[in-house]
Amino acid sequence: MPNLFDPLQLGELALANRIVMAPLTRSRSKGLVPGEMAVDYYRQRATAGLIISEGAQVCAEGQGYLDTPGIHTPEQIKAWRRVTDAVHAEGGKIAVQLWHVGRISHTSFQPGGAAPVSSTAISAGGKTYTAEGFVPVSAPRALSLAEIPGVIRAFVRAAECAMEAGFDAVEVHGANGYLLDQFMRDSINDRSDDYGGSIAHRARLTLEVMSGIATAIGSGRTGLRLSPVTPVNGAGQDSDPQALFNHIAQQLAPLKLAFVHVIEGQTGGARDIAPFDYAAMRQHLGGASAWMVNNGYTREMALKAVAEGRADLVAFGRDFIANPDLVRRLRLNAQLNPLDRATLYGGDAKGYIDYPTL
Ligand SMILES: Cc1cc2nc3c(=O)[nH]c(=O)nc-3n(C[C@H](O)[C@H](O)[C@H](O)COP(=O)(O)O)c2cc1C
């Protein structure tokens, strides 16, 4: 029987175990560059089979929150290199999460104070955290057809920057109501061109991004995160998520990505927020890629999911923030540190690099 603590060959990557650190935005990157503390933070967590970094914007327009790092400038590449070197020195593996927030942004983050871009001109509602504190997200502008190749190029270029920075892999952020999700769901996408309307049209941008990156850096170093039914960030629910994500899985199969990472239910909330058959979606992928699951997993749930073959890998988010030695604690069935919610976003070392190990 497969075991959570067993090694796994994931595309080009030999992982020490099947426990993944989920992507976690911490908003501590002053000047949009990961700092000295980030090197310690990731090094402390290098016993994960795979670390997926916090979301890193692929271009200036991709930013939506204060002090999130980018992965598109020489300065950012250099700073991330220090992080990847530190993780590798501990024998760990690390992927960067490639992020474009689309309409979940504010004009103060956008070049020239412009409107954020999306599949639509309709606002997501809700707030984002800026230098002025929490403010409503700004009304977006729908990308023109002519601008879409530029978005794909930004993702591909960022993947190339990630390789330069020493990352072992990239995870494209196709989840949680951000740009790619804004194209996939008919609860948001109101276009009538080749990137809106039918399922095939709505899936197209994500598939073109994945194919572009796989060609540029190799499919064995490329993964994708999806969240079929999470309603977060004003995403609502697609009219037929099962058909949409079955189609996406089927179209991804020939790409043979290293992994597909699925958030089950509402991100950070109810796992049964809406009906969805994840096993059916996985069947459409046909075993072409490793299957990574996330959301509210306990030790027992993770052990069972891997043993029963329902998942190849399990990603832990909040538990990894509070437990740098999570793998060891899970192995020993030791108690976990509680999470300090007040220090999740922004601030200093407190709640970032000072959680105790066993
Ligand atoms: C502080 C915080 C920051 C997060 N940042 C990201 C992010 O940058 N990218 C992403 O895809 N998900 C992000 N998430 C979602 C987590 O990756 C994960 O899906 C969620 O916490 C549920 O997993 P868990 O129950 O193991 O914590 C974030 C969650 C938290 C709590």
Side-chain angles (χ1 to χ4, degrees), residues 2 35 45 54 64 80 95 98 103 118 125-126 145 153 160 185 192 197 199 241 247 261 295 320 334 353:
R45 289 158 178 78
E54 63 206 281
W80 278 119
L98 301 181
R103 66 177 182 164
S118 181
L145 199 54
R153 272 198 305 277
E160 289 168 346
R185 295 174 187 236
S192 51
I199 283 178
H247 168 83
H261 181 182
N295 201 27
F320 249 119
I353 53 172

Side-chain angles (χ1 to χ4, degrees), residues 58-59 71-72 98 100 146-161 205 208-209 212-213 216:
V58 297
C59 54
I71 179 74
H72 57 96
L98 301 181
H100 193 312
E147 289 176 296
I148 289 187
V151 171
I152 299 168
R153 272 198 305 277
F155 271 99
V156 173
R157 177 73 196 115
E160 289 168 346
C161 291
L205 178 59
E208 288 179 348
V209 164
I213 293 177

